[in-house]
Amino acid sequence: MPFDCLRYHRPALYAAVALAVGLASGLKALAVPLEPTELEQYMLELINRARAHPEAEAARFNIRLNEGLPSGTIAPTPKQPLAFNFNLVDSARDHSQWMIDQDVFQHTGPGGNHPSDRARNAGYDLWAPWGVGENLAWQGVTRSSPQPLFITTQLHEGLFVDQNIDDRGHRTNMLAEGFQEAGVGIVTGSFVNGSKTYNAVMITTDFAYRAGNAFLTGVVYQDHDGNEFYSPDGEGYNNIAIRAVSPSTGAVYQTTSFGSGGYSLQIPAGTYDVTVGGGALLETTFLDLVMGTKNVKLDLVDSDQLRPWSNPANRFDTDRNGRIEPHDALVLIDELNRFGVRSLSTPPVLMPETYFDVDRDAFFSPGDLLPVIDAVNRAFGSVPSGQSAGGVLSFVETSHLAAVPEPGSLFLALLGISSLLTLARVRGKLPK
């Protein structure tokens, strides 16, 4: 069923269709597991943003969380963050490349394989109980080169909104509470759809869970653009040490950040002192992090603080409606025109002054407007000339059922997992 995900970018046309597939049970894998790229890390950060605050993500896209679904299908409570698994990255990227090469768009790969087969072939062992889900999305343009960052952002919105998709399978996959690991594979190339050839961006996202300990995960980055969110433009710190030490047993678990800045560290339940740093960054220690059976996300931003998984208010959103849009710039322009440049000692009229101090220099001036305009341009982007098309597909399979579920059946219903989630408590002081 068609829907228009680029409604703010006429006259380019974006069409997408979705199909939810029931239970099934592969694809050839790359020989050596590869780290996620910056763009793949960015896609995972978008997904984890949605999982951290499902209702806020729905509001960002102007829908209700359970739009198109029975009331209560998706709980508004936080879902555990997903940790990257290199084998799943390989599986996802390989499938994206195969679809580009073969000019097909489907979950079934060579020889009739399915996502679980591809995960196994890539080296991801499915220790029972296990479950696998997959979302596919693509968008392409003619007569010009695609803009991967812009398209990735748009496809995330399209997958979450699932407009005109009967079962909203992509949204339920993205927000399924049981998933703990993920692989994102983003590939660009020439893709033939119908009678047209597109310069396309193809995205495969594989979701999975299996028996084992939970993950401490996150991203280490420098927020160059000041948008309080990871951007795939060199912000990530590579090869930064992450070390978790149990004060009670002395056990040490450690890893290093990927080239994208992300990291995944699987550790048993317990209390840990976590140190991040070395190399390009001074070490920062976070005390008494409690790990349970659910993943915990800690991001190290600008090397000045570890912050628990959160989605702080975006300072570019001056009208506080959950979206970055031209109106945010108009709010500042109106305030400047009416009251001019001022220090923060002068109360603003429209809303709290901290909303206006975008560059956080304790002064309201045109300097606060420029980053908002830049953020709006980033959010809205520009669609290259020519026709545009795309699509999405969702898939769920699990080891728990012998019977084939109805298409679009909710992942949580299949697994019988409680919708309640207790995130690991974070104690102690943040370093100054």
Side-chain angles (χ1 to χ4, degrees):
M1 300 175 68
F3 68 93
D4 179 9
C5 277
L6 298 185
R7 53 188 178 277
Y8 298 111
H9 304 285
R10 306 279 194 244
L13 175 65
Y14 171 64
V17 295
L19 174 65
V21 184
L23 182 68
S25 186
L27 216 167
K28 64 181 179 64
L30 299 177
V32 179
L34 299 177
E35 293 185 357
T37 65
E38 288 184 324
L39 194 59
E40 290 162 349
Q41 183 77 50
Y42 173 70
M43 182 66 171
L44 184 66
E45 294 305 306
L46 292 175
I47 293 169
N48 277 334
R49 182 185 70 186
R51 292 174 67 87
H53 297 284
E55 286 189 313
E57 194 77 355
R60 179 176 285 108
F61 302 138
N62 294 311
I63 64 169
R64 292 177 294 103
L65 179 59
N66 284 293
E67 178 277 328
L69 295 166
S71 177
T73 298
I74 303 174
T77 51
K79 315 299 183 278
Q80 63 180 317
L82 301 177
F84 260 132
N85 178 279
F86 288 1
N87 301 115
L88 292 177
V89 171
D90 279 357
S91 176
R93 197 179 296 163
D94 201 30
H95 191 57
S96 291
Q97 187 65 61
W98 178 80
M99 289 189 292
I100 285 281
D101 292 342
Q102 301 299 317
D103 297 318
V104 298
F105 185 60
Q106 60 190 45
H107 293 286
T108 304
N113 67 15
H114 295 286
S116 62
D117 303 314
R118 296 192 285 274
R120 287 190 182 98
N121 292 343
Y124 185 82
D125 295 321
L126 295 174
W127 301 309
W130 60 264
V132 173
E134 183 173 84
N135 283 350
L136 304 179
W138 77 275
Q139 182 179 330
V141 294
T142 61
R143 304 197 304 274
S144 60
S145 298
Q147 300 176 0
L149 175 56
F150 171 73
I151 288 177
T152 298
T153 305
Q154 291 295 303
L155 287 177
H156 167 73
E157 177 178 350
L159 288 164
F160 189 94
V161 172
D162 256 3
Q163 185 174 350
N164 297 326
I165 307 304
D166 290 340
D167 59 11
R168 306 301 191 261
H170 317 101
R171 194 191 314 156
T172 56
N173 262 357
M174 193 183 300
L175 299 179
E177 302 204 32
F179 289 138
Q180 286 192 311
E181 297 179 88
V184 178
I186 301 179
V187 173
T188 61
S190 176
F191 184 68
V192 177
N193 181 257
S195 61
K196 291 184 173 62
T197 299
Y198 297 91
N199 297 314
V201 176
M202 182 74 70
I203 303 179
T204 298
T205 304
D206 287 331
F207 308 92
Y209 76 93
R210 58 183 176 179
N213 293 321
F215 291 85
L216 177 65
T217 188
V219 62
V220 185
Y221 69 101
Q222 186 170 7
D223 192 16
H224 294 306
D225 54 15
N227 68 351
E228 298 188 354
F229 195 77
Y230 176 86
S231 300
D233 56 2
E235 288 192 347
Y237 281 107
N238 179 33
N239 201 34
I240 300 299
I242 296 94
R243 185 174 60 149
V245 180
S246 170
S248 61
T249 67
V252 178
Y253 303 88
Q254 56 190 357
T255 188
T256 57
S257 60
F258 321 141
S260 64
Y263 71 91
S264 299
L265 180 62
Q266 191 172 26
I267 53 180
T271 301
Y272 297 90
D273 294 341
V274 179
T275 299
V276 181
L281 295 179
L282 296 176
E283 288 189 344
T284 304
T285 300
F286 194 60
L287 303 177
D288 297 329
L289 171 69
V290 178
M291 290 290 299
T293 60
K294 302 294 184 182
N295 292 355
V296 173
K297 191 174 195 293
L298 288 177
D299 294 338
L300 183 63
V301 184
D302 291 335
S303 77
D304 60 356
Q305 66 174 3
L306 269 171
R307 63 187 187 192
W309 181 31
S310 62
N311 188 22
N314 192 318
R315 61 182 173 220
F316 301 144
D317 182 20
T318 61
D319 60 7
R320 314 320 264 184
N321 67 351
R323 301 185 302 277
I324 299 175
E325 56 193 358
H327 185 258
D328 296 310
L330 295 178
V331 168
L332 295 187
I333 293 172
D334 182 66
E335 187 75 5
L336 281 169
N337 286 338
R338 294 206 290 168
F339 301 102
V341 175
R342 65 170 186 269
S343 71
L344 292 186
S345 60
T346 304
V349 173
L350 296 182
M351 54 188 61
E353 60 188 14
T354 54
Y355 292 178
F356 294 125
D357 186 21
V358 177
D359 59 10
R360 295 179 178 175
D361 63 353
F363 205 74
F364 180 53
S365 70
D368 295 302
L369 178 60
L370 295 179
V372 173
I373 293 174
D374 180 65
V376 171
N377 286 337
R378 285 173 176 266
F380 280 75
S382 60
V383 178
S385 61
Q387 292 183 313
S388 172
V392 289
L393 289 172
S394 66
F395 180 97
V396 178
E397 58 182 336
T398 172
S399 64
H400 287 246
L401 295 181
V404 177
E406 292 297 319
S409 296
L410 180 63
F411 182 79
L412 289 182
L414 299 180
L415 303 183
I417 295 177
S418 169
S419 63
L420 297 177
L421 171 63
T422 301
L423 292 177
R425 294 179 294 111
V426 178
R427 302 199 305 270
K429 298 186 295 183
L430 287 174
K432 296 181 179 179

